[in-house]
């Protein structure tokens, strides 16, 4: 199967029987799929990984922390659906209103922040992002889980020091649904499209796409929304247009360099 994919930079994914999701069983790759944006899913090549796992959490009454090294969101991308973040901390928009729209915006942007190549290749960056978005009680378990997930994903993709700059990892929100809300906690579902892979002829996995729904439970902590748990399920997944074919590895490599990844929603 790998041999048949060498000239292909992207591969369409088809639905598969749903598997139970939950903490520690998350990935953007369930379908024919890189089981790891994201975001357990099974690799098209039969490799199963954990990706974007959910960590348990609870409220914490720690001392509010002022956003360090913050910049206005207008200087660093959008801030989410229906609400505006006040600033950016460690590359992530923070400071959301204590509203449904604020919780939805936080959920989208926090998940996008966990869906960049640097998040997987740079441990220090990954830990910074998690410290920014997670509740204090969920931070430790999510950090350990995402460290293990990143290691497994890079190994499955065959990412090396030489191919790391070419790694593709993108995620975009297709919609949100606030399932429950109070001033202290909110449950938000985020429907996302994700692509991941390495566009090289020798890649173990060409760039592939998938659709996932993340369910985030957020808690109001230190004057902002923070993530307590993250769960993932497949889809909803559209059919592939019959008049479209996958791009070559060269086309995908050039596109990844030409088109800047959308930083955040909104």
């Amino acid at each position: 199967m790998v041999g048949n994919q060498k000239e292909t930079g992207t591969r369409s994914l088809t639905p598969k029987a749903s598997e139970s999701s939950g903490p520690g069983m998350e990935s953007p790759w369930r379908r024919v799929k890189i089981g790891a944006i994201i975001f357990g899913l099974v690799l098209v090549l039969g490799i199963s990984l954990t990706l974007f796992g959910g960590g348990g959490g609870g409220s914490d009454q720690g001392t509010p922390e002022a956003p360090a090294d913050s910049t206005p969101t207008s200087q660093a991308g959008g801030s989410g659906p229906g609400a505006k973040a006040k600033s950016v901390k460690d590359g992530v928009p923070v400071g959301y209103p204590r509203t449904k729209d604020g919780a939805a915006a936080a959920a989208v942007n926090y998940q996008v922040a966990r869906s960049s190549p640097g998040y997987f290749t740079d441990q220090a960056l990954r830990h910074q992002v998690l410290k920014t978005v997670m509740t204090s009680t969920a931070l430790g378990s999510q950090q350990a889980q995402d460290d293990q997930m990143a290691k497994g994903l890079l190994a499955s993709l065959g990412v090396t020091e030489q191919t790391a700059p070419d790694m593709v990892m993108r995620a975009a929100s297709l919609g949100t649904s606030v399932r429950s809300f109070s001033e202290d906690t909110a449950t938000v579902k985020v429907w996302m499209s994700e692509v991941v892979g390495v566009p090289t002829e020798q890649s173990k996995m060409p760039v592939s796409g998938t659709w996932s729904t993340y369910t985030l439970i957020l808690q109001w902590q230190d004057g902002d929304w923070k993530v307590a748990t993250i769960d993932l399920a497949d889809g909803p997944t559209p059919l592939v247009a019959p008049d479209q074919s996958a791009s070559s590895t060269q086309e995908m490599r050039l596109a990844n360099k030409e088109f800047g990844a959308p930083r955040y929603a909104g």
Side-chain angles (χ1 to χ4, degrees), residues 17-175:
S18 178
E19 300 165 0
S20 60
S21 64
M25 294 295 295
E26 315 240 349
S27 159
W29 303 116
R30 274 194 287 207
R31 272 161 275 277
V32 190
K33 38 198 173 190
I34 289 185
I37 183 319
I38 229 189
F39 48 44
L41 303 177
V42 182
L43 281 168
V44 179
L45 301 179
I47 301 174
S48 177
L49 302 172
T50 3
L51 179 60
F52 291 128
S59 61
D60 181 85
Q61 302 300 322
T63 303
E65 178 183 357
D69 300 321
S70 297
T71 57
T73 51
S74 60
Q75 298 179 18
S79 56
K84 296 296 181 182
K86 294 179 180 178
S87 59
V88 173
K89 180 180 179 182
D90 295 326
V92 184
V94 296
Y96 296 92
R98 202 170 185 173
T99 63
K100 286 184 179 181
D101 284 346
V108 170
N109 289 337
Y110 293 168
Q111 195 57 41
V112 170
R114 298 175 67 236
S115 307
S116 70
Y119 189 84
F120 297 92
T121 59
D122 187 337
Q123 185 183 69
L125 172 62
R126 183 165 60 249
H127 289 184
Q128 281 183 343
V129 170
L130 289 174
K131 186 177 180 181
T132 300
V133 307
M134 301 301 298
T135 64
S136 56
T137 51
L139 175 60
S141 61
Q142 193 69 52
Q143 181 172 292
Q145 182 172 304
D146 281 14
D147 284 348
Q148 182 179 14
M149 167 271 295
K151 182 179 180 180
L153 176 63
L154 295 178
S156 295
L157 294 177
V159 175
T160 65
E161 185 175 348
Q162 290 71 35
T163 61
D166 290 324
M167 179 181 173
V168 178
M169 173 65 72
R170 309 255 183 134
S173 169
L174 301 177

Side-chain angles (χ1 to χ4, degrees), residues 2 4 95 153:
V2 179
N4 294 334
L153 176 63

Side-chain angles (χ1 to χ4, degrees), residues 171-258:
S173 169
L174 301 177
T176 60
S177 174
V178 180
R179 307 312 297 262
S180 66
F181 175 80
S182 72
E183 288 191 345
D184 297 319
T185 185
T187 300
V188 181
K189 298 181 74 173
V190 184
W191 181 27
M192 299 191 78
S193 175
E194 298 143 329
V195 292
V196 65
V198 181
T200 64
E201 299 298 335
Q202 295 77 29
S203 175
K204 291 183 179 181
M205 175 59 73
V207 179
S208 304
T210 190
W211 289 262
S212 307
T213 296
Y214 293 90
T215 301
L216 290 81
I217 296 179
L218 300 101
Q219 296 175 351
W220 189 258
Q221 183 178 101
D222 297 346
D224 203 359
W225 291 110
K226 302 288 185 178
V227 181
T229 65
I230 309 170
D231 291 320
L232 175 132
D234 284 343
T237 303
L239 292 174
V240 177
D243 59 344
Q244 289 187 316
S245 59
S247 299
S248 68
T249 54
Q250 177 66 8
E251 289 175 315
M252 184 57 63
R253 185 161 51 245
L254 292 175
N256 189 46
K257 293 179 179 179
E258 177 182 359

